[in-house]
Amino acid sequence: MPDTQNAALFAPISIGGVEIRNRVVMPPMTTRYSTNAGFATSATVAYYQARARGGVGLITVEMAAPEVAGRHRFHELGIYHDKFLPGLETIVKAIHEEGARASIQLGHGGSRARRAVSGVQPVAPSAIPTPVFEIEKEIAHPEAMTQERIEETIEAFVSAAGRAKKAGFDMVELHGAHGYLISQFLSPSENTRTDEFGGSLRNRARFGLRIIEGIKAAVPELPVIYRLGAEDFYADGIHTEDAYVVAEWAVESGADAISVTAGHYRSQPGAEIMIPPMKWKEGIFLDMAAAVKSRVNVPVIGVGRLGDPELASRAIREGKLDMTAIGRPLLADAEWVNKAQSGNPVRSCLSCNHCVNNMRGGDNLSCVVNPTTGRELEFAAGGLATGRKIVVIGAGPAGLSYAALTAAGNTVCVLDKRDHAGGNFLLTGKAPIFNDVEAAEPSFVAYIANLEKECRRAGVRFHLGKPAHARTELLQEADLIVIAAGARYRGGVGPLVEKILNTRFMKSGAVKKVFSNHKVRDFFYYRFRIGRGSSLVRSLGLTHLPSDRLMIIGDAAQAGKAREAITSAFEAALNPVAAANIDSFQFERNIGVQK
């Protein structure tokens, strides 16, 4: 049934004359699915197509630099040369086939573009040393741009926009936030110039405004979204009142929409606020979006922990923004829009920042709660058996995920000795650190609650409050028994660990400092706990069952982290097989791209 309460989120809207089917935007997120040279791969296409198929109105393809000197990450998608057009065209075609509109973010690393990535000297408004993290930390020493070099870069942005139009993109987004080049020109601490591109706010805004004007002159039919960093959160950065003026100037220069975000790599107390993790409040930047909306007459896009459909829709109903950008929630659930529109629970994002932190460390973009992210082709190649009676022992994240994934076409029930779903995963929010960010209970509670709702709506039956030994009739009738009962603590100290987690001691500064060390956390996950699936098989008298009637998944098989447990559930349920020869070289040959 359609969700009428959240209807505002699914009303059509227009940006620069381009009609978009709903108010949901997928913002740009670097994936590292491209080749190191910047060519799109089959994985790139499948990833974007899955989100378009999931109902997103506007897909914003990840940041692509308009010139080589702007490349800031390895495996960054390319747009600075016509050789990338075949791959870009393939991405756009896949998005359009699913009914979504396609944009691409044009962004320049400036002082954040490492020579090791681009092969050339980084450039910036001023020659200010900049701390950079791209797999490893270093201090970049950019070269101050001459006026001639500034004009060259402006022209590169304009040419890249023309290339985007040629590839079929419906619009482009300019990255004017988070400490990248346009933002660097705006920042008083990163722009110490004394010419027409430095000094006053108008002069510091000139670079970005000239790019908008250049694009509108060269490609007038191509809408431009200006992504504005409304607050840098450090003393000498850009602040809200100045940013709101820049938004007005951007619209005067031709911007067709403003996307409001905040945060900077120099933010205090930390850069994590750019992509606010679970300890930060939901809708953290909404007031900034509302302030911009009150000053401009074009659509305003908001972002920042808007993964709850009710919150996103309410923000639109209350006039705080026109469109909502949800990034991490679309990694957690590619079907977020379709589910929300039909009133079904979405798979909640934990806001644990595994996705961005692992990507910055050099890995492909991935998600703790959705192992299909980035592996869409592998999972599409699998199959799902039906017509079985399945008993899942354990209502933690692995057990619930397996039950939700297999409910269609099967009769599934979940057993757990506790009187509620979630298992020990609900204790995780009481720990000091989860995935390098401060843990917060509401994220884990919401994730489990939505996953349980998904199971119940799909017809999964729950038998809670009694151990599996008391459910012998269900076990005897089952065609398949899946043990997802989690791990046990060594030495029988489980009850003690739970008591400690329920105290404030675990949230103290000293404990957080200890658990900030990944070696300590790894010891806790991998060494302090042990899978108990085999012992449970023996105690239940199931050792006689053949392998096709008994399966052990998650921590019950091998103690580890949540991502590993949930991944095992997905793989067991969906039976993915490695897609043959999914490599960039084959893909480039298929679409006619030469390195």
Side-chain angles (χ1 to χ4, degrees), residues 18 47 323-324 359 375 398 400 422 510:
V18 175
Y47 163 79
M323 303 182 76
T324 179
M359 181 279 295
R375 299 175 59 193
L400 293 177

Side-chain angles (χ1 to χ4, degrees), residues 314-358:
R314 186 168 66 250
I316 294 172
R317 291 198 310 270
E318 294 176 353
K320 291 184 176 180
L321 43 76
D322 298 290
M323 303 182 76
T324 179
I326 55 168
R328 291 167 295 174
L330 287 172
L331 303 183
D333 196 340
E335 291 287 323
W336 190 98
V337 178
N338 288 341
K339 287 181 179 179
Q341 191 165 11
S342 61
N344 290 319
V346 299
R347 186 184 302 115
S348 295
C349 168
L350 294 175
S351 296
C352 68
N353 280 13
H354 159 88
C355 49
V356 63
N357 289 339
N358 266 34

Side-chain angles (χ1 to χ4, degrees), residues 8 22 180 194 296 343 352 401 427 441 450 475 478 502 510 545-546 584:
N22 57 48
Y180 292 97
T194 58
V296 300
C352 68
S401 293
L427 294 174
E441 290 185 66
N450 271 9
L475 299 178
N502 281 312
L545 290 181
S584 58

Side-chain angles (χ1 to χ4, degrees), residues 299-318:
V300 170
I301 303 167
V303 72
R305 297 211 64 204
L306 295 172
D308 178 354
E310 164 57 23
L311 172 63
S313 184
R314 186 168 66 250
I316 294 172
R317 291 198 310 270
E318 294 176 353

Side-chain angles (χ1 to χ4, degrees), residues 9-10 13 18-26 51-52 54-60 95-96 98-103 170-171 323-324 330 337:
L9 192 58
F10 308 109
I13 190 172
V18 175
E19 187 82 3
I20 301 167
R21 62 185 173 186
N22 57 48
R23 306 298 180 97
V24 181
V25 180
M26 180 178 178
R51 275 78 201 164
V56 176
L58 176 62
I59 300 283
T60 313
I95 292 171
H96 283 169
E98 304 298 342
R101 294 294 190 176
S103 179
D170 300 291
M171 58 195 72
M323 303 182 76
T324 179
L330 287 172
V337 178

Side-chain angles (χ1 to χ4, degrees), residues 102 160 170 222 240 279 325 341 373 389 395 422 434 437-438 441 532 584:
D170 300 291
L222 183 69
T240 52
K279 76 172 184 178
Q341 191 165 11
T373 295
K389 292 182 179 179
F434 181 81
V437 303
E438 185 176 332
E441 290 185 66
R532 60 192 177 106
S584 58

Side-chain angles (χ1 to χ4, degrees), residues 243-314:
Y244 301 155
V245 174
V246 173
E248 295 174 351
W249 290 342
V251 173
E252 291 171 5
S253 293
D256 298 281
I258 303 292
S259 179
V260 181
T261 183
H264 189 287
Y265 283 101
R266 299 180 188 267
S267 291
Q268 297 298 322
E272 69 174 18
I273 196 170
M274 290 189 292
I275 307 170
M278 60 179 74
K279 76 172 184 178
W280 299 93
K281 70 175 183 178
E282 293 183 303
I284 182 173
F285 304 141
L286 274 179
D287 289 344
M288 297 179 196
V292 172
K293 183 169 167 54
S294 70
R295 289 164 167 80
V296 300
N297 59 357
V298 298
V300 170
I301 303 167
V303 72
R305 297 211 64 204
L306 295 172
D308 178 354
E310 164 57 23
L311 172 63
S313 184
R314 186 168 66 250

